Amino acid sequence: MSNQLKPAVGSQDHVQGPAEAAIEIVEYGDYQCPHCGSAYPVIKEIQKKFRQEVRFVYRNFPLAESHEFAMPAAVASEAAALQDKFWEMHDIIFENQDSLSNEGLFKMATEAGLDIEKFKEDIQKEELEQKVESDFESGIRSGVNGTPSFFVNGTKFDGDAQDLLDMLTENSTVK
């Protein structure tokens, strides 16, 4: 089984942080996964602590058979991306994970400042579901078998978000 990220981060990805960062973290996540919800504040802590050293990438890996609203949430985040608000929607969904529902996603879209009429149209677009499926398939090719799964500089990280924070802290001059 592969443990290398396939494909490498590209223009289709949602990225935060400097392009020249020494550390690139890719998360495969599911917006309804409780473990991903627990990882979210740890990832935020990593981004805050290692601001200039870390580049963070999020790829959708909705476990639709286990989580009814994982796919709609992933599509909603991609619809938000069409209005340049992917990260706002990403954060709001994780911060309100207990409110996930079709109605809840519209409330979150409003909170993210999206044009709701455009959002309503965009979430119907097949290309957004295809983008999510493409992320999912890249996860399968990369050896993802659960969420959250992390890759550090292209190699699968064997641990959770706290393990990742601990490893970065141990190996950094930033304390």
Side-chain angles (χ1 to χ4, degrees), residues 74-161:
V75 170
S77 70
E78 294 297 333
L82 295 177
Q83 296 185 44
D84 294 325
K85 299 222 181 230
F86 173 83
W87 290 108
E88 290 86 343
M89 191 67 173
H90 168 275
D91 291 355
I92 289 170
I93 293 172
F94 275 124
E95 290 166 9
N96 297 281
Q97 199 178 37
D98 293 341
S99 303
L100 270 178
S101 65
N102 290 328
E103 184 179 300
L105 287 169
F106 276 92
K107 286 181 183 172
M108 294 175 205
T110 300
E111 189 179 331
L114 298 179
D115 174 332
I116 294 302
E117 289 306 313
K118 181 168 176 18
F119 177 75
K120 200 180 291 185
E121 289 174 23
D122 289 343
I123 59 173
Q124 305 298 320
K125 292 182 177 175
E126 192 172 316
E127 67 195 58
L128 297 185
E129 195 167 313
Q130 289 172 349
K131 164 70 170 83
V132 172
E133 289 172 358
S134 175
D135 277 2
F136 187 90
E137 289 167 12
S138 79
I140 296 294
R141 285 194 307 274
S142 302
V144 171
N145 55 9
T147 57
S149 285
F150 300 99
F151 290 78
V152 178
N153 293 341
T155 302
K156 192 170 182 189
F157 179 74
D158 186 24
D160 63 17

Side-chain angles (χ1 to χ4, degrees), residues 11-74:
S11 61
Q12 77 284 357
D13 286 304
H14 303 290
V15 179
Q16 286 184 319
E20 66 279 359
I23 302 162
E24 181 180 79
I25 299 170
V26 176
E27 177 184 359
Y28 280 90
D30 170 331
Y31 286 111
Q32 200 172 3
C33 162
H35 302 291
C36 296
S38 296
Y40 169 76
V42 179
I43 294 299
K44 287 294 184 192
E45 185 177 346
I46 288 171
Q47 290 181 290
K48 185 176 176 185
K49 190 171 183 177
F50 302 100
R51 189 175 317 224
Q52 294 305 314
E53 298 172 69
V54 168
R55 180 179 189 213
F56 178 68
V57 179
Y58 184 85
R59 289 184 178 171
N60 290 296
F61 198 82
L63 301 172
E65 289 183 15
S66 303
H67 302 135
E68 177 182 4
F69 297 106
M71 182 58 122

